[in-house]
Amino acid sequence: MTDSAASSPTVVLVHGAFADAGSWAGVVELLLAEGVKVQAPANPLRGLAADAAYVRSVIEQIEGPVLAVGHSYGGAVITNATTGLANVRGLVYVAAFAPDEGEALGDVEAGSTDSVLNSALKPATYPTDGEPAPELYVDPARFHEAFASDLPPDQSAVLGASQRPVAAAAFAEKTGSPAWKTLPSWAVVASGDKAAGADVIRSMAERAGADAIELEGSHVIMISQPRAVTDHILRALKAVS
């Protein structure tokens, strides 16, 4: 690898709950077309501490600088995963949580007047070495309304049917020292976000001092408006390069 290639930041895209890395497909395609190095790892969705540890290990193994991008719950993951990592240059929150130390996402969500997510969740369990542990998924009948209202209903139905449940622990565990206190950050707020809640995401972006833009769209703004989201990531990339 040449010195210039090694010094060019890699964009690491971390997906959120009830989704997978394929949710970044449109953004990945556009970034690759710009010659940007990209990784979109699978977020385990088994708990905030465990997920952050996994994403941190992925980033630690990347040669050269990194711009970490999180969607939804993925924002909480990068907030915890990148604290103190020398190769991380900045953070981008796409309809994403940027919690402060001691905050649990379940408590934060309870205070949102824009989110309908809690009423749309259904419980399930997954096996562990001990007792089965609780996990959550979005009722497929409400996926379009709560998660992806600016996508065609048929596309929302596919996403709802193929969603990945998240461990309930992910919303109960408290955030550690947040990386946004020491790293520059950018944010995309979706004005029609009924999952994370536009009010929560806007407030967190402001608190983090993020360079934020607001787009009209749903929680999956990176699927419905990949060009606008990619452009903001590219602005962040230029600033940290």
Side-chain angles (χ1 to χ4, degrees), residues 112-210:
S112 173
T113 59
D114 289 339
S115 174
V116 300
L117 183 63
N118 285 338
S119 67
L121 294 179
K122 300 190 75 171
T125 61
Y126 67 96
T128 68
D129 291 338
E131 294 295 318
E135 66 178 6
L136 303 165
Y137 67 99
V138 180
D139 182 350
R142 297 193 60 192
F143 200 90
H144 180 75
E145 169 204 357
F147 218 75
S149 60
D150 59 347
L151 297 181
D154 288 352
Q155 186 177 5
S156 293
V158 170
L159 295 175
S162 59
Q163 65 179 289
R164 289 180 56 206
V166 61
F171 293 100
E173 293 177 18
K174 294 184 178 180
T175 287
S177 179
W180 53 259
K181 287 194 173 179
T182 57
L183 291 169
S185 60
W186 289 259
V188 176
V189 178
S191 62
D193 188 344
K194 294 182 179 180
D199 51 353
V200 168
I201 300 309
R202 189 181 298 112
S203 175
M204 285 187 165
E206 291 172 356
R207 182 178 62 185

Side-chain angles (χ1 to χ4, degrees), residues 6-235:
S7 63
S8 176
T10 297
V11 174
V12 176
L13 301 164
V14 180
H15 68 82
F18 320 115
D20 59 27
S23 60
W24 288 113
V27 171
V28 170
E29 183 178 4
L30 292 169
L31 287 173
L32 290 175
E34 295 283 346
V36 176
K37 293 179 293 184
V38 183
Q39 285 194 32
N43 186 355
L45 304 183
R46 297 294 77 170
L48 184 56
D51 296 342
Y54 177 76
V55 169
R56 185 180 183 92
S57 75
V58 170
I59 293 174
E60 285 176 326
Q61 296 175 69
I62 294 174
E63 183 177 359
V66 165
L67 177 69
V69 183
H71 172 248
S72 189
Y73 166 68
V77 173
I78 65 171
T79 294
N80 285 269
T82 62
T83 300
L85 278 185
N87 64 329
V88 178
R89 298 290 184 263
L91 309 168
V92 182
Y93 293 93
V94 178
F97 297 106
D100 201 351
E101 186 167 5
E103 288 183 339
L105 296 186
D107 296 335
V108 171
E109 276 289 273
S112 173
T113 59
D114 289 339
S115 174
V116 300
L117 183 63
N118 285 338
S119 67
L121 294 179
K122 300 190 75 171
T125 61
Y126 67 96
T128 68
D129 291 338
E131 294 295 318
E135 66 178 6
L136 303 165
Y137 67 99
V138 180
D139 182 350
R142 297 193 60 192
F143 200 90
H144 180 75
E145 169 204 357
F147 218 75
S149 60
D150 59 347
L151 297 181
D154 288 352
Q155 186 177 5
S156 293
V158 170
L159 295 175
S162 59
Q163 65 179 289
R164 289 180 56 206
V166 61
F171 293 100
E173 293 177 18
K174 294 184 178 180
T175 287
S177 179
W180 53 259
K181 287 194 173 179
T182 57
L183 291 169
S185 60
W186 289 259
V188 176
V189 178
S191 62
D193 188 344
K194 294 182 179 180
D199 51 353
V200 168
I201 300 309
R202 189 181 298 112
S203 175
M204 285 187 165
E206 291 172 356
R207 182 178 62 185
D211 179 350
I213 62 169
E214 187 152 337
L215 300 174
E216 185 176 349
S218 76
H219 185 58
V220 291
I221 196 71
M222 73 289 190
I223 298 177
S224 61
Q225 296 193 49
R227 180 75 263 175
V229 171
T230 301
D231 285 346
H232 202 50
I233 293 172
L234 289 172
R235 282 192 285 273

